Amino acid sequence: MSTLTAPSSSRNAPEQKPADEPKAAFGPAALLEAVPGAFRKLDPRIMWRNPVMFIVEVGAVLTTAIAIAEPFLGGPEASGGSAIPSTFTWGIAVWLWLTVLFANLAESVAEGRGKAQADSLRKTRTSTTAHRVGAYDEAGDPSASGAVPDEVSSADLTLGDVVVVSAGELVPGDGDIVWGIASIDESAITGESAPVVRESGGDRSAVTGGTRVLSDRIVVRITSRPGETFVDRMIGLVEGAARQKTPNEIALNVLLSSLSIIFVVVTLTLNPIASSVSAEVSVPVLIALLVCLIPTTIGALLSAIGIAGMDRLVQHNVLAMSGRAVEAAGDVTTLLLDKTGTITYGNRQASEFVRLAGIDEQELVRAAALSSLADPTPEGKSIVDLANEQGVHVGDFAVGDVVPFTAQTRMSGIDQPDGTQIRKGASSAVIAWVEQDTRAASSILADLDEQVERISSSGGTPLVVAAKSPEEGARILGVVHLKDVVKDGLAERFAELRAMGIRTVMITGDNPLTAKAIAAEAGVDDFLAEATPEDKMELIKKEQAGGNLVAMTGDGTNDAPALAQADVGVAMNTGTSAAKEAGNMVDLDSDPTKLIDIVAIGKQLLITRGALTTFSIANDVAKYFAIIPAMFAGVFPGLAVLNIMQLHSPASAVLSAIIFNAVVIIVLIPLALRGVKYRPLSASRVLARNLLIYGVGGVIAPFIGIKLIDLVVSLIPGF
């Protein structure tokens, strides 16, 4: 027999933590820091991986060699035999080198932020002393079982080792807690200053090497090999060392390489054509034409766009295991979202006590609160709080033996000294308990069914309260209305996703009536009620069979199969090692709502790549019309009418185009790294917007830019 007092708790729903905004993007300081890396990337062994820029580098080498040899071989001539200034070849060579450097600079800046974060992560990867044990008792004490802790370096730990970690010590490696509960500081990994609780036997058992135990003691089984820890993988990924090109990126590279080969052939045919009309085109001019023809703009920025996309995820504390996962997030068409913690705040709150006919309300409130005194869940605490607000302080009443909740009974309650039994739980379970007493009145069940259906239809969860006494027998007293609170602003976000063609599906273990009401309030497109792990897997396979790409979140071992099956599986950092291994992304903040942000970042990556590809192609088309008429008007007078910019001379036209070609890369670096501003639009509207802004802009910009540069170049003597 014992006397319990009502625990204190707050009934206010927790505030939704907003996603952190990405840090300020890449300014002049970041550009300067990236310059050494840009020069290192001039190594041909690195450059050949980017075929477009490799062609530019080869052209720069050849043009430089010609510029050195010119004093001994004579100066170049433009088409039609007109001489061009001796400084022309050197100008072309310098700006070709700058074109390559600017391309390398874009990639180097993108990698720079990842390397900065990798350096901070390395500080957490210090070698620490680990207390390795072979056995331990139920209290987590290795000495009581006869085992003596073996002090070893964390670098010597391997898969399956068991270690004891006490308060104040660093966790020596990634693992799962097999005994104990502790408060842990994960700020070195997640950046979040508030400590978190990790415990054995649940979905919050995983710990990461380098985090610090603040209280108590835990026994951890190591789940990683040396050099393969979570932090090691993070370092490799954020540095870009482990970043593999995505299929779309590879396909675009193949297209750009094919276009470059075609334009190499086109350029090589120009000199024979010019020779047929008694004109010559010098090698530097042909190289300049080739560089202006091939898609250098997107070729220079393509890698940086991919790296920056992964970096944006890192800034949101999400680790993508591959670039493919980021890209897949942008193509997602179906989003699976858990109700609890994602769509709702996760802690159902008692909102009202509904008494049945003939029952005193104070009796119902007191019984509900007494049956909840030993209930540690937020729902149980909220029932006690609501009773206190209504003036019923159950801490003043003596209670008897606590009856804990079990999955078999689906009820909890107390047995009082006078023989009175109080139960609270699921409707069917409580009704079955009441009907065991032959004295129970059946007439009240109709009223109960009406109240249960009303609460369920409104999106709430009904908990039935009943009492059984020696004098009166079993009676159903009423219903506690537990209400799920839908997070603010989610309906608007789901509407945005719908506008992009993304279908949202809420997954919940609730009954269909409750699920339907919450789905309607949240604004999701569909729901899966009373869902089991098998149901989740079946739903994902069904969606994929229909041609959809599916994204979902999870944190438990039972979520691992579905996470592995989904195209984008986001595992919570607080979850089990199995979940983190199965997913292709890990959210360090363990915020399920971040899945919506991940999709937006993936969309932004694809939109940015598409926008700059459109600009690059349009940009190249405009350069043809700017340069070729000016170059060949002397040989083919009819082309003069196409020289709408009235460029000063063939030499100034070529040099101006090469300068513009280089400058536009450096101008577009911030856009490639920050990403095109994301707007929730359908694919057709995104395409129309890209064509209007980046297509038309890509055509107009070269005409303006080349003309302005030509005005400056024409002031140079000889041009």
Side-chain angles (χ1 to χ4, degrees):
M1 306 289 285
S2 62
T3 301
L4 301 179
T5 57
S8 61
S9 66
S10 172
R11 300 186 61 248
N12 295 326
E15 293 183 3
Q16 184 178 5
K17 178 184 175 183
D20 293 335
E21 292 296 325
K23 296 177 182 177
F26 315 81
L31 291 173
L32 289 174
E33 290 176 5
V35 168
F39 276 96
R40 285 192 294 270
K41 289 178 181 292
L42 290 175
D43 186 337
R45 292 171 297 182
I46 299 175
M47 289 298 303
W48 73 269
R49 298 171 188 168
N50 186 340
V52 175
M53 300 315 300
F54 182 68
I55 290 175
V56 179
E57 184 176 42
V58 171
V61 171
L62 185 57
T63 307
T64 302
I66 293 173
I68 294 172
E70 267 183 2
F72 309 100
L73 302 177
E77 293 182 346
S79 63
S82 59
I84 57 178
S86 58
T87 54
F88 171 82
T89 306
W90 277 112
I92 295 294
V94 168
W95 281 100
L96 288 179
W97 282 115
L98 287 175
T99 302
V100 179
L101 278 173
F102 291 163
N104 291 347
L105 190 65
E107 187 173 353
S108 186
V109 171
E111 292 173 348
R113 294 183 76 178
K115 289 178 179 177
Q117 181 151 348
D119 290 340
S120 66
L121 288 171
R122 282 195 179 90
K123 296 176 183 177
T124 71
R125 203 180 55 175
T126 56
S127 179
T128 60
T129 300
H131 302 285
R132 184 170 58 187
V133 296
Y136 53 93
D137 68 0
E138 293 182 356
D141 187 355
S143 60
S145 63
V148 178
D150 180 18
E151 291 194 359
V152 298
S153 169
S154 58
D156 296 329
L157 294 175
T158 189
L159 186 68
D161 283 347
V162 177
V163 297
V164 176
V165 190
S166 301
E169 295 178 348
L170 291 176
V171 177
D174 295 354
D176 286 328
I177 300 175
V178 294
W179 181 91
I181 180 172
S183 176
I184 296 179
D185 176 11
E186 294 185 341
S187 58
I189 304 298
T190 67
E192 179 60 53
S193 58
V196 295
V197 175
R198 298 285 179 265
E199 59 184 318
S200 62
D203 292 341
R204 302 175 68 85
S205 61
V207 289
T208 305
T211 58
R212 185 178 297 277
V213 175
L214 299 179
S215 68
D216 305 290
R217 179 171 63 172
I218 52 177
V219 178
V220 178
R221 178 176 288 113
I222 300 300
T223 58
S224 62
R225 294 181 175 86
E228 299 178 3
T229 66
F230 186 66
V231 172
D232 288 322
R233 283 187 293 163
M234 283 185 67
I235 291 171
L237 288 164
V238 299
E239 280 187 322
R243 191 187 85 89
Q244 302 296 319
K245 290 183 178 179
T246 65
N248 284 350
E249 196 173 349
I250 292 172
L252 187 53
N253 259 319
V254 171
L255 174 63
L256 297 181
S257 301
S258 301
L259 288 174
S260 299
I261 292 171
I262 291 171
F263 287 127
V264 167
V265 174
V266 169
T267 304
L268 290 176
T269 62
L270 285 178
N271 200 44
I273 292 173
S275 298
S276 66
V277 291
S278 302
E280 293 291 337
V281 180
S282 68
V283 174
V285 172
L286 289 175
I287 293 173
L289 276 175
L290 174 62
V291 171
C292 289
L293 288 171
I294 62 178
T296 51
T297 305
I298 187 61
L301 300 173
L302 183 60
S303 179
I305 293 170
I307 295 173
M310 292 187 71
D311 180 71
R312 279 192 288 276
L313 277 179
V314 171
Q315 300 306 315
H316 280 74
N317 262 5
V318 176
L319 174 64
M321 300 304 179
S322 68
R324 183 192 297 263
V326 187
E327 197 168 85
D331 285 327
V332 160
T333 53
T334 302
L335 212 55
L336 305 187
L337 300 159
D338 277 331
K339 183 204 75 174
T340 305
T342 304
I343 292 175
T344 65
Y345 282 106
N347 297 337
R348 293 176 296 182
Q349 305 290 309
S351 61
E352 64 173 329
F353 297 108
V354 182
R355 66 180 180 85
L356 299 187
I359 301 298
D360 179 68
E361 185 171 358
Q362 291 295 303
E363 183 183 6
L364 166 63
V365 175
R366 183 168 59 251
L370 283 171
S371 64
S372 303
L373 276 176
D375 186 347
T377 65
E379 292 88 348
K381 294 176 181 178
S382 73
I383 292 173
V384 175
D385 287 344
L386 183 59
N388 287 335
E389 289 178 11
Q390 296 190 6
V392 178
H393 303 287
V394 291
D396 300 333
F397 296 88
V399 297
D401 296 329
V402 173
V403 179
F405 175 88
T406 67
Q408 288 73 32
T409 65
R410 294 189 296 157
M411 296 186 300
S412 62
I414 58 167
D415 292 339
Q416 294 185 301
D418 62 0
T420 300
Q421 297 175 313
I422 300 176
R423 295 293 184 269
K424 172 199 71 182
S427 173
S428 58
V430 174
I431 290 173
W433 179 76
V434 169
E435 289 179 340
Q436 292 173 2
D437 190 332
T438 57
R439 295 174 295 172
S442 59
S443 59
I444 204 169
L445 293 181
D447 187 18
L448 174 65
D449 289 341
E450 180 182 345
Q451 297 300 335
V452 168
E453 185 172 352
R454 178 184 66 82
I455 293 172
S456 297
S457 300
S458 69
T461 301
L463 287 182
V464 177
V465 181
K468 186 185 295 184
S469 66
E471 298 81 14
E472 299 179 287
R475 296 178 302 143
I476 296 178
L477 305 179
V479 185
V480 180
H481 182 177
L482 294 180
K483 186 175 181 181
D484 275 307
V485 181
V486 175
K487 293 181 177 179
D488 296 334
L490 279 186
E492 291 77 10
R493 299 194 73 177
F494 290 146
E496 291 177 356
L497 292 172
R498 195 174 300 110
M500 294 186 294
I502 297 175
R503 178 170 168 265
T504 53
V505 181
M506 181 186 77
I507 299 177
T508 176
D510 288 338
N511 63 69
L513 280 176
T514 301
K516 181 179 180 180
I518 295 177
E521 183 179 354
V524 296
D525 298 309
D526 202 354
F527 64 90
L528 178 65
E530 298 177 340
T532 65
E534 293 76 16
D535 293 332
K536 294 180 185 179
M537 177 72 82
E538 188 62 31
L539 176 60
I540 292 172
K541 289 181 178 179
K542 181 180 177 181
E543 291 289 334
Q544 291 172 332
N548 295 314
L549 266 68
V550 181
M552 72 161 288
T553 61
D555 58 2
T557 300
N558 63 343
D559 290 325
L563 286 171
Q565 180 68 34
D567 300 284
V568 179
V570 184
M572 301 295 100
N573 191 42
T574 56
T576 62
S577 297
K580 289 195 283 189
E581 288 294 332
N584 49 24
M585 290 188 187
V586 176
D587 177 18
L588 301 181
D589 293 331
S590 300
D591 176 8
T593 61
K594 202 178 289 183
L595 181 58
I596 301 173
D597 296 319
I598 291 170
V599 170
I601 290 171
K603 290 282 186 187
Q604 186 183 33
L605 169 66
L606 297 180
I607 291 170
T608 301
R609 184 188 295 161
L612 291 184
T613 301
T614 302
F615 181 89
S616 179
I617 294 173
N619 187 56
D620 290 339
V621 171
K623 282 184 289 188
Y624 312 156
F625 286 97
I627 301 171
I628 294 177
M631 287 190 56
F632 293 99
V635 178
F636 303 103
L639 292 177
V641 296
L642 298 178
N643 187 14
I644 58 176
M645 287 189 291
Q646 298 298 308
L647 298 180
H648 184 262
S649 67
S652 69
V654 174
L655 184 57
S656 297
I658 285 293
I659 293 174
F660 175 82
N661 195 65
V663 170
V664 76
I665 293 173
I666 202 73
V667 169
L668 290 176
I669 287 178
L671 181 62
L673 300 181
R674 292 191 185 98
V676 173
K677 186 175 181 180
Y678 168 73
R679 291 178 175 84
L681 303 173
S682 63
S684 59
R685 293 185 64 188
V686 169
L687 177 60
R689 183 173 179 272
N690 278 355
L691 290 176
L692 179 62
I693 297 177
Y694 298 98
V696 175
V699 171
I700 295 174
F703 284 95
I704 297 174
I706 291 174
K707 178 60 180 178
L708 292 176
I709 295 171
D710 180 74
L711 292 175
V712 176
V713 171
S714 63
L715 299 177
I716 301 174
F719 280 89

